[in-house]
Amino acid sequence: MSLKISASELESKITAIFVKAGSLPAEAKQVASNLVMANLSGHDSHGVGMTPRYVDAILEGNLKPNSNVAIKVDTGMLLGLDGQQGFGQIVGVQAMELAFERVAQHGACIMTLASAHHLGRIGHYAEMAAAKGWVSLHFVSVASRPVVAPFGGGDGRFGTNPCCIGIPIGYGANASEPFVLDFATSRVAQGKMRVAHNEGREVEPGTLIDEHGNPTNKPGVVVVPQSNGKMGALRTFGEHKGFGLAVACELLGGALSGGGTWHKEADGRRAVINCMLTIVIDPKRLGTQTSFAEESLAFVDWLRESPDAPDSEGVVIAGEPERQARVDRMKNGIVVDDATWQEIQEAGRKLGMAV
């Protein structure tokens, strides 16, 4: 069973939950809007299904509503920020806006953000930069129950540690939609396993190991405790290559920002703490804006001219599936599976409200 609901109605319901949990209305609306946008973009793993976890994190005191980003270091092009365990959808946007001020002044900014609660879909921040005609790179660590196994390892040791690169394509009248590469360094996002488990689906071979370190297709091994009380783990994409990038995200996002890395047993907390290294560059200040715009368009056009491979839908550029999903789901509504909706209703009940 599932529920189909419009984006506006879903945003209204989720906003009400966060207001009840202690957020000021403007904050609650911005967080809800970000989550719904993830659903609209086809990333249900980062959408409203995260609401129950956010509510639990607030109740345990590890997600702090109405917190703002704090500036710890400011040397112009270098920014060191602390999210103070505020909503990532709030402090993440504040951090990007501060970085944009420095890019406008200096042509580039290197920014670290420590101790933000779950930042949501990292592509959102790359899209913010691309809308200004700027390139951005994002390396993110995840401090929560370790759900990803190192290559060659048999249990979870770190988080899904996403990496994201946003690149504007073209410029001005010749601008095209941006290239937005946004992916977890695990084979799939942890949230996708929650969605698959709630929908009663198995997942592709090679995605998971169970609580004994053996391959499995059952997503529940990383969603609920297993018979021996332990959990399974996700695998990294690309074997040692994805593992290497995951380690880089942990060190650049977590260690370099001052937020720290994960090197302990799971402690049962529901909070998801993200740290991020972001680099934003203005091609105009490099003196390459015109050639960059021309070359980016020419290269993407060259890729699209490739003939369709057998049994494929042809060449797809990063960012296109999300934009297409938004058009479809804005028109036809967002589907929320029954288990996820029940979890959202239970989150409301914890706060003393009916959803």
Side-chain angles (χ1 to χ4, degrees):
M1 296 178 62
S2 60
L3 169 74
K4 181 174 282 190
I5 185 170
S6 70
S8 59
E9 184 178 358
L10 187 56
E11 181 180 318
S12 177
K13 292 180 182 297
I14 301 302
T15 297
I17 291 174
F18 290 129
V19 168
K20 186 69 172 179
S23 286
L24 294 171
E27 174 178 273
K29 181 176 176 59
Q30 183 171 328
V31 173
S33 175
N34 181 282
L35 293 175
V36 171
M37 179 56 73
N39 288 105
L40 285 171
S41 301
H43 293 285
D44 297 318
S45 57
H46 290 65
V48 298
M50 292 298 297
T51 301
R53 188 156 190 175
Y54 288 10
V55 169
D56 287 347
I58 292 170
L59 294 176
E60 72 187 12
N62 292 311
L63 166 53
K64 303 182 185 303
N66 310 311
S67 295
N68 295 304
V69 73
I71 299 175
K72 298 298 184 181
V73 174
D74 182 0
T75 66
M77 286 181 63
L78 282 171
L79 272 177
L81 308 175
D82 191 307
Q84 303 190 109
Q85 295 176 255
F87 275 106
Q89 291 84 353
I90 302 298
V91 297
V93 169
Q94 292 174 347
M96 291 301 294
E97 290 173 343
L98 287 168
F100 291 164
E101 291 177 5
R102 299 334 187 261
V103 177
Q105 295 169 6
H106 306 288
C109 180
I110 300 172
M111 176 265 287
T112 60
L113 173 63
S115 304
H117 195 262
H118 188 239
L119 287 163
R121 190 178 67 90
I122 307 303
H124 175 70
Y125 308 106
E127 289 168 350
M128 290 176 64
K132 293 180 174 292
W134 298 341
V135 173
S136 67
L137 299 88
H138 311 262
F139 303 89
V140 183
S141 67
V142 182
S144 182
R145 178 174 61 83
V147 295
V148 185
F151 180 64
D155 65 356
R157 293 280 153 164
F158 49 87
T160 52
N161 293 8
C163 178
C164 180
I165 301 170
I167 303 174
I169 304 297
Y171 180 73
N174 294 322
S176 184
E177 296 287 1
F179 170 92
V180 181
L181 180 66
D182 179 16
F183 59 91
T185 48
S186 52
R187 282 286 298 269
V188 293
Q190 162 70 4
K192 292 186 185 297
M193 297 299 93
R194 170 181 49 78
V195 172
H197 175 67
N198 285 347
E199 293 178 349
R201 291 188 287 109
E202 291 193 344
V203 298
E204 292 183 4
T207 301
L208 297 163
I209 56 175
D210 65 17
E211 67 275 20
H212 305 293
N214 299 316
T216 180
N217 298 342
K218 299 184 182 301
V221 298
V222 293
V223 180
V224 294
Q226 300 303 292
S227 57
N228 61 357
K230 296 184 177 181
M231 305 280 275
L234 289 157
R235 286 174 161 166
T236 55
F237 83 89
E239 299 181 325
H240 63 284
K241 297 177 183 179
F243 172 45
L245 187 54
V247 173
C249 287
E250 188 81 15
L251 298 177
L252 294 174
L256 187 62
S257 70
T261 62
W262 187 278
H263 41 80
K264 62 181 181 180
E265 295 295 324
D267 54 17
R269 289 185 298 175
R270 294 281 283 167
V272 181
I273 302 300
N274 287 151
C275 301
M276 178 168 68
L277 167 67
T278 291
I279 302 169
V280 186
I281 304 167
D282 180 1
K284 183 177 181 180
R285 299 290 286 274
L286 275 177
T288 62
Q289 185 176 62
T290 299
S291 61
F292 176 59
E294 292 172 349
E295 288 296 324
S296 63
L297 279 171
F299 184 62
V300 169
D301 287 343
W302 166 252
L303 295 175
R304 294 189 196 283
E305 290 169 3
S306 178
D308 294 358
D311 301 319
S312 83
E313 297 181 359
V315 174
V316 178
I317 306 299
E320 289 179 345
E322 289 81 359
R323 292 189 287 269
Q324 182 56 49
R326 288 170 200 166
V327 172
D328 177 69
R329 294 187 176 195
M330 185 62 77
K331 177 182 178 182
N332 298 312
I334 295 169
V335 175
V336 181
D337 67 85
D338 186 57
T340 297
W341 188 247
Q342 289 182 26
E343 290 172 359
I344 292 172
Q345 290 179 311
E346 176 59 26
R349 283 192 285 271
K350 290 179 181 179
L351 299 170
M353 65 179 291
V355 180

Coordinates of all heavy atoms in Angstrom, one line a residue, residues 143-187:
A143 N 28.7 11.1 10.6 CA 28.9 10.6 11.9 C 27.6 10.0 12.4 O 26.7 10.8 12.9 CB 29.4 11.6 12.9
S144 N 27.4 8.8 12.4 CA 26.2 8.1 12.8 C 26.6 6.6 13.0 O 27.8 6.3 12.9 CB 25.1 8.3 11.8 OG 23.9 7.7 12.3
R145 N 25.6 5.7 13.1 CA 25.9 4.3 13.2 C 26.7 4.0 11.9 O 26.2 4.2 10.8 CB 24.6 3.5 13.3 CG 24.9 2.0 13.3 CD 23.6 1.2 13.5 NE 22.6 1.5 12.5 CZ 22.5 0.8 11.3 NH1 23.4 0.0 11.0 NH2 21.5 1.1 10.5
P146 N 27.9 3.4 12.0 CA 28.7 3.0 10.8 C 28.0 1.9 10.0 O 27.9 0.8 10.5 CB 30.0 2.6 11.4 CG 29.7 2.1 12.8 CD 28.6 2.9 13.3
V147 N 27.6 2.3 8.8 CA 26.8 1.4 8.0 C 27.5 0.9 6.7 O 26.9 0.1 5.9 CB 25.4 2.0 7.6 CG1 24.6 2.3 8.8 CG2 25.6 3.3 6.8
V148 N 28.7 1.3 6.5 CA 29.5 0.9 5.3 C 30.7 0.2 5.7 O 31.5 0.6 6.5 CB 29.8 2.1 4.4 CG1 30.4 1.7 3.1 CG2 28.5 3.0 4.1
A149 N 31.0 -0.9 5.0 CA 32.2 -1.7 5.3 C 33.4 -1.2 4.4 O 33.2 -0.9 3.2 CB 31.9 -3.2 5.0
P150 N 34.6 -1.2 5.0 CA 35.7 -0.9 4.1 C 35.9 -2.1 3.1 O 35.5 -3.2 3.4 CB 36.9 -0.8 5.1 CG 36.4 -1.6 6.3 CD 34.9 -1.5 6.4
F151 N 36.5 -1.8 2.0 CA 36.8 -2.8 1.0 C 37.7 -3.9 1.6 O 38.8 -3.6 2.2 CB 37.5 -2.2 -0.2 CG 37.9 -3.2 -1.3 CD1 36.8 -3.9 -2.0 CD2 39.2 -3.5 -1.6 CE1 37.1 -4.8 -3.0 CE2 39.5 -4.4 -2.6 CZ 38.4 -5.1 -3.3
G152 N 37.2 -5.1 1.6 CA 37.9 -6.2 2.2 C 37.5 -6.4 3.7 O 38.0 -7.4 4.3
G153 N 36.7 -5.6 4.2 CA 36.2 -5.7 5.6 C 34.9 -6.4 5.7 O 34.1 -6.5 4.8
G154 N 34.5 -6.8 7.0 CA 33.3 -7.6 7.2 C 32.3 -7.0 8.0 O 31.3 -7.6 8.4
D155 N 32.4 -5.7 8.4 CA 31.4 -5.0 9.1 C 31.5 -3.5 8.8 O 32.4 -3.0 8.2 CB 31.5 -5.2 10.6 CG 32.8 -4.7 11.3 OD1 33.6 -4.1 10.5 OD2 32.9 -4.8 12.5
G156 N 30.5 -2.7 9.3 CA 30.4 -1.3 9.1 C 31.4 -0.6 9.9 O 31.6 -0.8 11.1
R157 N 32.1 0.4 9.2 CA 33.2 1.2 9.9 C 33.0 2.7 9.7 O 33.6 3.4 10.4 CB 34.5 0.7 9.4 CG 34.9 -0.7 9.8 CD 35.4 -0.8 11.3 NE 35.2 -2.0 11.9 CZ 35.8 -2.4 13.0 NH1 36.6 -1.6 13.6 NH2 35.5 -3.6 13.5
F158 N 32.2 3.1 8.7 CA 32.0 4.5 8.5 C 30.6 4.7 7.8 O 29.9 3.7 7.6 CB 33.1 5.1 7.6 CG 33.4 4.3 6.4 CD1 32.8 4.5 5.2 CD2 34.4 3.3 6.4 CE1 33.1 3.7 4.1 CE2 34.7 2.6 5.3 CZ 34.0 2.8 4.1
G159 N 30.3 6.0 7.5 CA 29.0 6.3 6.9 C 29.1 6.3 5.4 O 30.0 5.9 4.7
T160 N 28.0 6.7 4.8 CA 27.8 6.7 3.3 C 28.6 7.8 2.6 O 28.7 7.8 1.4 CB 26.3 6.8 2.9 OG1 25.7 7.9 3.6 CG2 25.6 5.5 3.3
N161 N 29.1 8.7 3.4 CA 30.1 9.7 3.0 C 30.0 10.2 1.5 O 30.7 9.8 0.6 CB 31.5 9.2 3.2 CG 31.9 9.0 4.6 OD1 31.0 9.2 5.5 ND2 33.1 8.7 4.9
P162 N 29.0 11.1 1.2 CA 28.7 11.5 -0.1 C 29.8 12.5 -0.7 O 30.4 13.2 0.1 CB 27.3 12.2 -0.1 CG 27.2 12.6 1.4 CD 27.9 11.6 2.2
C163 N 29.9 12.4 -2.0 CA 30.7 13.4 -2.7 C 29.8 14.0 -3.8 O 29.0 13.4 -4.4 CB 31.9 12.6 -3.4 SG 33.0 13.6 -4.4
C164 N 30.0 15.3 -4.1 CA 29.2 16.0 -5.0 C 30.0 17.0 -5.8 O 30.9 17.7 -5.2 CB 28.0 16.7 -4.3 SG 26.9 17.6 -5.3
I165 N 29.8 17.2 -7.1 CA 30.4 18.1 -7.9 C 29.4 18.8 -8.8 O 28.6 18.1 -9.5 CB 31.5 17.5 -8.8 CG1 32.6 16.8 -8.0 CG2 32.2 18.5 -9.7 CD1 33.5 15.9 -8.8
G166 N 29.3 20.1 -8.7 CA 28.4 20.9 -9.5 C 29.1 21.7 -10.5 O 30.0 22.5 -10.2
I167 N 28.7 21.7 -11.8 CA 29.4 22.4 -12.9 C 28.4 23.1 -13.8 O 27.5 22.4 -14.4 CB 30.3 21.5 -13.7 CG1 31.3 20.8 -12.8 CG2 31.0 22.3 -14.8 CD1 32.2 19.8 -13.6
P168 N 28.4 24.4 -13.9 CA 27.4 25.1 -14.8 C 27.8 24.7 -16.2 O 29.0 24.6 -16.6 CB 27.6 26.6 -14.5 CG 29.0 26.7 -13.9 CD 29.2 25.4 -13.2
I169 N 26.9 24.6 -17.1 CA 27.1 24.3 -18.5 C 26.7 25.4 -19.4 O 25.5 25.8 -19.3 CB 26.4 23.0 -19.0 CG1 26.8 21.8 -18.1 CG2 26.7 22.7 -20.4 CD1 28.2 21.4 -18.1
G170 N 27.6 26.0 -20.1 CA 27.3 27.2 -20.9 C 27.2 28.5 -20.0 O 27.5 28.4 -18.8
Y171 N 26.7 29.6 -20.6 CA 26.7 30.8 -19.9 C 25.7 31.7 -20.6 O 25.6 31.8 -21.8 CB 28.0 31.5 -19.8 CG 28.0 32.8 -19.0 CD1 27.8 32.8 -17.6 CD2 28.1 34.0 -19.7 CE1 27.8 34.0 -16.9 CE2 28.1 35.2 -19.0 CZ 27.9 35.2 -17.6 OH 27.9 36.3 -16.9
G172 N 25.0 32.5 -19.8 CA 24.1 33.6 -20.3 C 23.0 33.0 -21.2 O 22.3 32.0 -20.8
A173 N 22.8 33.5 -22.4 CA 21.8 33.1 -23.3 C 22.0 31.6 -23.8 O 21.1 30.9 -24.2 CB 21.7 34.0 -24.5
N174 N 23.3 31.2 -23.7 CA 23.6 29.8 -24.1 C 23.7 28.9 -23.0 O 24.2 27.8 -23.1 CB 25.0 29.9 -24.9 CG 24.9 30.6 -26.2 OD1 23.9 30.5 -26.9 ND2 25.9 31.4 -26.5
A175 N 23.2 29.3 -21.8 CA 23.3 28.4 -20.6 C 22.4 27.2 -20.8 O 21.3 27.3 -21.3 CB 23.0 29.1 -19.4
S176 N 22.9 26.0 -20.4 CA 22.2 24.8 -20.3 C 22.0 24.4 -18.9 O 22.5 25.0 -18.0 CB 22.9 23.7 -21.1 OG 22.1 22.5 -21.2
E177 N 21.3 23.3 -18.7 CA 21.1 22.8 -17.3 C 22.5 22.3 -16.8 O 23.3 21.8 -17.5 CB 20.1 21.7 -17.2 CG 18.7 22.0 -17.6 CD 18.0 22.9 -16.6 OE1 18.6 23.2 -15.5 OE2 16.8 23.3 -16.8
P178 N 22.8 22.5 -15.5 CA 24.1 22.2 -14.9 C 24.3 20.7 -14.8 O 23.4 19.9 -14.8 CB 24.1 22.8 -13.5 CG 22.6 22.8 -13.2 CD 21.9 23.1 -14.4
F179 N 25.6 20.3 -14.8 CA 26.0 19.0 -14.4 C 26.1 18.9 -12.9 O 26.8 19.7 -12.3 CB 27.4 18.8 -15.1 CG 28.1 17.5 -14.6 CD1 28.0 16.3 -15.4 CD2 29.0 17.5 -13.5 CE1 28.7 15.2 -15.0 CE2 29.6 16.4 -13.2 CZ 29.5 15.2 -13.9
V180 N 25.3 18.0 -12.3 CA 25.3 17.9 -10.9 C 25.5 16.4 -10.5 O 24.6 15.6 -10.6 CB 24.0 18.4 -10.2 CG1 24.0 18.2 -8.7 CG2 23.7 19.8 -10.6
L181 N 26.7 16.1 -10.2 CA 27.1 14.7 -9.8 C 27.0 14.6 -8.3 O 27.8 15.2 -7.6 CB 28.5 14.4 -10.3 CG 29.1 13.0 -10.0 CD1 28.3 12.0 -10.8 CD2 30.6 12.9 -10.4
D182 N 26.1 13.8 -7.8 CA 25.9 13.7 -6.4 C 25.6 12.2 -6.0 O 24.7 11.6 -6.4 CB 24.6 14.5 -6.0 CG 24.3 14.5 -4.6 OD1 25.1 14.1 -3.7 OD2 23.1 14.9 -4.2
F183 N 26.6 11.6 -5.2 CA 26.4 10.2 -5.0 C 27.0 9.9 -3.6 O 28.0 10.5 -3.2 CB 27.1 9.4 -6.1 CG 28.6 9.7 -6.3 CD1 29.5 8.9 -5.6 CD2 29.0 10.6 -7.2 CE1 30.9 9.2 -5.8 CE2 30.3 10.9 -7.4 CZ 31.3 10.2 -6.7
A184 N 26.5 8.8 -3.0 CA 27.1 8.2 -1.8 C 28.3 7.4 -2.3 O 28.3 6.8 -3.4 CB 26.1 7.3 -1.1
T185 N 29.3 7.3 -1.4 CA 30.4 6.4 -1.8 C 30.1 4.9 -1.5 O 30.9 4.1 -1.9 CB 31.7 6.9 -1.1 OG1 31.4 7.1 0.3 CG2 32.2 8.2 -1.7
S186 N 29.0 4.7 -0.8 CA 28.5 3.3 -0.7 C 27.8 3.0 -2.0 O 27.5 3.8 -2.8 CB 27.5 3.2 0.5 OG 26.5 4.2 0.4
R187 N 27.5 1.7 -2.2 CA 26.9 1.3 -3.5 C 25.6 2.0 -3.7 O 25.2 2.4 -4.8 CB 26.6 -0.2 -3.5 CG 27.8 -1.1 -3.7 CD 28.2 -1.1 -5.2 NE 27.2 -1.6 -6.1 CZ 27.1 -2.9 -6.5 NH1 28.0 -3.7 -6.0 NH2 26.1 -3.2 -7.3

